Amino acid sequence: MTSRLLRVLRPRRGGRLPLILLALVVAAGVTAAVTDASASSGGLRFAQLGHWIAQPKENTVFHVNGNGAVDAKFRAEGMDSEDTQVVQGDTAGYVLGGNRAVRFGKSTLEVEEGYKLQAPANGEEPVALEAKGGPYYVYPEQGRIVRFGGDDPVTIPAGPGGPLGTPVVTPDGTLWLQHRDSNGLCLLTPEAEQVDCRASAPAGHAGSLTVVGKQAVFVDTDADTFTPVDGNGLGRPVRIGRDLPADAKIATADMSGRVAVLDPGASQMHIVDATGLGQGRVAADISVTLPPGKYETPVAGRDAVVLLDNQGKSVRTFDRDGRQQREGLLPKDKQTTRLSRGEDQRVYVEGSQGDQVYVVGDRGRLDKVTPPAPAGKDDRRPVPPPGETTPPANPGPTVNGPTQQSANRPRNQGTTTTPPNRPTGRTQNQAPADPPPNRPTPQRTTTTNPPSPPGLPPGLRATVSGGNIRVSWGAAKENGSAVTGYRVTWSGGSSGSRTVGRNTRSTTLSGLTRAKNYKITVAAQNAAGRGTAASTRVLLPAAATSRSVRVSRGGGTTHSPDCNRPDCAWIKTEIRGFPPNSSMDIDIYSSRWGRFNGVKLTTNEKGYLMVDDRFAYNGSGGTIWATVNGVSSNRLSSW
């Protein structure tokens, strides 16, 4: 207990205690809340409701509350133009872009320190996550985690097992990771310094992680199951009533117990009811057909599932029953748009330039945010070079910029810099906290990553051409070493593998077994090894044949007192080329009596059926024929 109290009361950089931070936030007019200490957080937690947005071209960072209003902004120069994101931790926010990170105080809106991050060799864009104990940067292809929130960013290896799937976070702040190659499932708690990898999903099964309530869940798209997972391993798998494709995009959190699953190939979204997961019940009871588009992974908010179509430039919201609530159109420019789920469980639609912002409100309402005017020069907060600290220009919070008079005052006078018409939380005669003592600038070095195996080949497709399957894919990321070739494997009715050249983007598989479902994978390889394989499935249908029905005289029979040998005989009926294992309606006709017999039978695995003991006929003139599912046979003269 003593050590926890010391962590709470120890001043952070800038010399302010958490309780003082709380007072300053009220002064800054930023909507905030202080949550109780928990076992995972280790003390008071400064939870700012809303989301921070960067406007790189304007060198401005602003805060949007859950009602869609801008309630704070400041100036931070030197941001990257496209990939800048802003995430918040307990008491500080971080402007993240490229291989740079800048920390600012959430209460003071002062830039505090800049860091240089280890740049990935493959140039991949990390996944930013807000969570207790974080925020985090996760590099899936590199298998690397960067935790912010302390004095310096901490890099944590994600453990063995190759590249990562999409990371998720449970409400207690635990970060969950899936290693795609080994299907190892790892967790990182808020206070841990290394990952714990005691759980594992079935080897070779496709799928990804999500969160249902407070529980991490592995969604297995091969077995079509939901399986709870914790630090001790997997729980009981529960089957769902739907066949999920291997490339399904699964929301990382539920919405009122329901999980959104996007089937991009079928342009459908399924709403899987997981409220009964603890009782061993899961049902996929809702399916939504979507207009054509290129949809990103669904994101679940408080009471809406949000779908972003970056191709059609639209955003749609749905309720828990799959009914569309709202649709908003985005400007058709080249700007990339992303969805972010804040710690307030609201979804924010954010353009990469920070000028296309929506907040998804109650009942899926799309509230457009009016970006603020660029922060003025008086609000200038230069981004310090990596590894250097820029002391705040003024001790008090600034929202609209200090006045010239207060800006020129010496710091040892007992006054504070105050935004116009905003109280500071202390009296005019109170002296500000003493500035923190100077301390040595930490030395940071940049290390060059060694080459690693290539990334996953994008755009894998398999199409049927006669009795063959044509496979095509895109170029994989090289990750520091040139791709030397692509390994193609297939399994189903028959199996095999081949390696094609580095510039080859397609191949044709032949000699395959008909009427079989094939799994096809493609993996790139370079000097560092073979990368993660992309996979897809395709059904090679049975060979197309002409359907035929033929009747002929079968063996003689004594069927009734007036149907005796040799005049009475069975009508032999042969069916070829029909669908295998399919039900057939067989009807028997004569020119004398019309339809006089019929039966429903099933073809075998080759689509063949022969009947020679069902239809008796007394051959005394007339013509006989049969129809099978509308296909007519030959005409047989009576014998």
PDB file of all heavy atoms in Angstrom, residues 221-234:
ATOM      1  N   THR A 221     -12.501 -18.351 -37.280  1.00  0.00           N
ATOM      2  CA  THR A 221     -13.269 -18.342 -38.527  1.00  0.00           C
ATOM      3  C   THR A 221     -13.154 -19.650 -39.302  1.00  0.00           C
ATOM      4  O   THR A 221     -13.824 -19.821 -40.324  1.00  0.00           O
ATOM      5  CB  THR A 221     -12.831 -17.174 -39.432  1.00  0.00           C
ATOM      6  OG1 THR A 221     -11.420 -17.266 -39.674  1.00  0.00           O
ATOM      7  CG2 THR A 221     -13.132 -15.843 -38.767  1.00  0.00           C
ATOM      8  N   ASP A 222     -12.287 -20.566 -38.860  1.00  0.00           N
ATOM      9  CA  ASP A 222     -12.257 -21.910 -39.450  1.00  0.00           C
ATOM     10  C   ASP A 222     -13.282 -22.809 -38.779  1.00  0.00           C
ATOM     11  O   ASP A 222     -14.042 -23.522 -39.446  1.00  0.00           O
ATOM     12  CB  ASP A 222     -10.863 -22.521 -39.313  1.00  0.00           C
ATOM     13  CG  ASP A 222      -9.926 -22.076 -40.418  1.00  0.00           C
ATOM     14  OD1 ASP A 222     -10.418 -21.543 -41.422  1.00  0.00           O
ATOM     15  OD2 ASP A 222      -8.702 -22.237 -40.279  1.00  0.00           O
ATOM     16  N   ALA A 223     -13.301 -22.794 -37.441  1.00  0.00           N
ATOM     17  CA  ALA A 223     -14.258 -23.626 -36.701  1.00  0.00           C
ATOM     18  C   ALA A 223     -15.585 -22.923 -36.484  1.00  0.00           C
ATOM     19  O   ALA A 223     -16.544 -23.542 -36.020  1.00  0.00           O
ATOM     20  CB  ALA A 223     -13.667 -24.024 -35.353  1.00  0.00           C
ATOM     21  N   ASP A 224     -15.649 -21.615 -36.809  1.00  0.00           N
ATOM     22  CA  ASP A 224     -16.859 -20.810 -36.606  1.00  0.00           C
ATOM     23  C   ASP A 224     -17.303 -20.868 -35.143  1.00  0.00           C
ATOM     24  O   ASP A 224     -18.438 -21.233 -34.815  1.00  0.00           O
ATOM     25  CB  ASP A 224     -17.991 -21.272 -37.531  1.00  0.00           C
ATOM     26  CG  ASP A 224     -17.636 -21.104 -38.999  1.00  0.00           C
ATOM     27  OD1 ASP A 224     -17.030 -20.079 -39.332  1.00  0.00           O
ATOM     28  OD2 ASP A 224     -17.958 -21.996 -39.798  1.00  0.00           O
ATOM     29  N   THR A 225     -16.362 -20.503 -34.255  1.00  0.00           N
ATOM     30  CA  THR A 225     -16.636 -20.528 -32.820  1.00  0.00           C
ATOM     31  C   THR A 225     -16.190 -19.239 -32.156  1.00  0.00           C
ATOM     32  O   THR A 225     -15.326 -18.517 -32.666  1.00  0.00           O
ATOM     33  CB  THR A 225     -15.912 -21.703 -32.132  1.00  0.00           C
ATOM     34  OG1 THR A 225     -14.494 -21.603 -32.393  1.00  0.00           O
ATOM     35  CG2 THR A 225     -16.428 -23.033 -32.628  1.00  0.00           C
ATOM     36  N   PHE A 226     -16.801 -18.944 -31.015  1.00  0.00           N
ATOM     37  CA  PHE A 226     -16.371 -17.896 -30.096  1.00  0.00           C
ATOM     38  C   PHE A 226     -15.814 -18.612 -28.859  1.00  0.00           C
ATOM     39  O   PHE A 226     -16.491 -19.463 -28.278  1.00  0.00           O
ATOM     40  CB  PHE A 226     -17.548 -17.015 -29.686  1.00  0.00           C
ATOM     41  CG  PHE A 226     -17.829 -15.865 -30.610  1.00  0.00           C
ATOM     42  CD1 PHE A 226     -17.675 -16.014 -31.977  1.00  0.00           C
ATOM     43  CD2 PHE A 226     -18.264 -14.642 -30.122  1.00  0.00           C
ATOM     44  CE1 PHE A 226     -17.941 -14.967 -32.840  1.00  0.00           C
ATOM     45  CE2 PHE A 226     -18.530 -13.584 -30.970  1.00  0.00           C
ATOM     46  CZ  PHE A 226     -18.376 -13.750 -32.339  1.00  0.00           C
ATOM     47  N   THR A 227     -14.595 -18.253 -28.448  1.00  0.00           N
ATOM     48  CA  THR A 227     -13.980 -18.912 -27.303  1.00  0.00           C
ATOM     49  C   THR A 227     -13.457 -17.875 -26.327  1.00  0.00           C
ATOM     50  O   THR A 227     -12.575 -17.086 -26.682  1.00  0.00           O
ATOM     51  CB  THR A 227     -12.815 -19.817 -27.747  1.00  0.00           C
ATOM     52  OG1 THR A 227     -13.262 -20.729 -28.741  1.00  0.00           O
ATOM     53  CG2 THR A 227     -12.272 -20.595 -26.561  1.00  0.00           C
ATOM     54  N   PRO A 228     -13.958 -17.842 -25.073  1.00  0.00           N
ATOM     55  CA  PRO A 228     -13.404 -16.928 -24.068  1.00  0.00           C
ATOM     56  C   PRO A 228     -11.939 -17.282 -23.789  1.00  0.00           C
ATOM     57  O   PRO A 228     -11.551 -18.456 -23.856  1.00  0.00           O
ATOM     58  CB  PRO A 228     -14.284 -17.178 -22.833  1.00  0.00           C
ATOM     59  CG  PRO A 228     -15.503 -17.858 -23.342  1.00  0.00           C
ATOM     60  CD  PRO A 228     -15.083 -18.633 -24.550  1.00  0.00           C
ATOM     61  N   VAL A 229     -11.136 -16.288 -23.473  1.00  0.00           N
ATOM     62  CA  VAL A 229      -9.725 -16.531 -23.185  1.00  0.00           C
ATOM     63  C   VAL A 229      -9.316 -15.668 -22.005  1.00  0.00           C
ATOM     64  O   VAL A 229      -9.746 -14.515 -21.875  1.00  0.00           O
ATOM     65  CB  VAL A 229      -8.845 -16.245 -24.431  1.00  0.00           C
ATOM     66  CG1 VAL A 229      -9.027 -14.817 -24.920  1.00  0.00           C
ATOM     67  CG2 VAL A 229      -7.381 -16.509 -24.145  1.00  0.00           C
ATOM     68  N   ASP A 230      -8.491 -16.234 -21.131  1.00  0.00           N
ATOM     69  CA  ASP A 230      -7.908 -15.476 -20.035  1.00  0.00           C
ATOM     70  C   ASP A 230      -6.464 -15.909 -19.864  1.00  0.00           C
ATOM     71  O   ASP A 230      -5.922 -16.657 -20.688  1.00  0.00           O
ATOM     72  CB  ASP A 230      -8.711 -15.644 -18.736  1.00  0.00           C
ATOM     73  CG  ASP A 230      -8.832 -17.098 -18.294  1.00  0.00           C
ATOM     74  OD1 ASP A 230      -7.936 -17.914 -18.633  1.00  0.00           O
ATOM     75  OD2 ASP A 230      -9.815 -17.432 -17.618  1.00  0.00           O
ATOM     76  N   GLY A 231      -5.835 -15.469 -18.775  1.00  0.00           N
ATOM     77  CA  GLY A 231      -4.424 -15.763 -18.588  1.00  0.00           C
ATOM     78  C   GLY A 231      -4.111 -17.231 -18.415  1.00  0.00           C
ATOM     79  O   GLY A 231      -2.954 -17.642 -18.568  1.00  0.00           O
ATOM     80  N   ASN A 232      -5.103 -18.038 -18.111  1.00  0.00           N
ATOM     81  CA  ASN A 232      -4.883 -19.474 -17.925  1.00  0.00           C
ATOM     82  C   ASN A 232      -5.121 -20.287 -19.185  1.00  0.00           C
ATOM     83  O   ASN A 232      -4.877 -21.491 -19.198  1.00  0.00           O
ATOM     84  CB  ASN A 232      -5.799 -19.990 -16.806  1.00  0.00           C
ATOM     85  CG  ASN A 232      -5.478 -19.361 -15.470  1.00  0.00           C
ATOM     86  OD1 ASN A 232      -4.308 -19.196 -15.124  1.00  0.00           O
ATOM     87  ND2 ASN A 232      -6.509 -18.983 -14.716  1.00  0.00           N
ATOM     88  N   GLY A 233      -5.639 -19.679 -20.223  1.00  0.00           N
ATOM     89  CA  GLY A 233      -5.872 -20.398 -21.463  1.00  0.00           C
ATOM     90  C   GLY A 233      -7.251 -20.148 -22.020  1.00  0.00           C
ATOM     91  O   GLY A 233      -7.943 -19.207 -21.620  1.00  0.00           O
ATOM     92  N   LEU A 234      -7.664 -21.027 -22.948  1.00  0.00           N
ATOM     93  CA  LEU A 234      -8.962 -20.886 -23.599  1.00  0.00           C
ATOM     94  C   LEU A 234     -10.052 -21.573 -22.789  1.00  0.00           C
ATOM     95  O   LEU A 234      -9.825 -22.597 -22.152  1.00  0.00           O
ATOM     96  CB  LEU A 234      -8.926 -21.483 -25.001  1.00  0.00           C
ATOM     97  CG  LEU A 234      -8.590 -20.527 -26.147  1.00  0.00           C
ATOM     98  CD1 LEU A 234      -7.176 -20.007 -26.001  1.00  0.00           C
ATOM     99  CD2 LEU A 234      -8.760 -21.202 -27.504  1.00  0.00           C
TER     100      LEU A 234
END
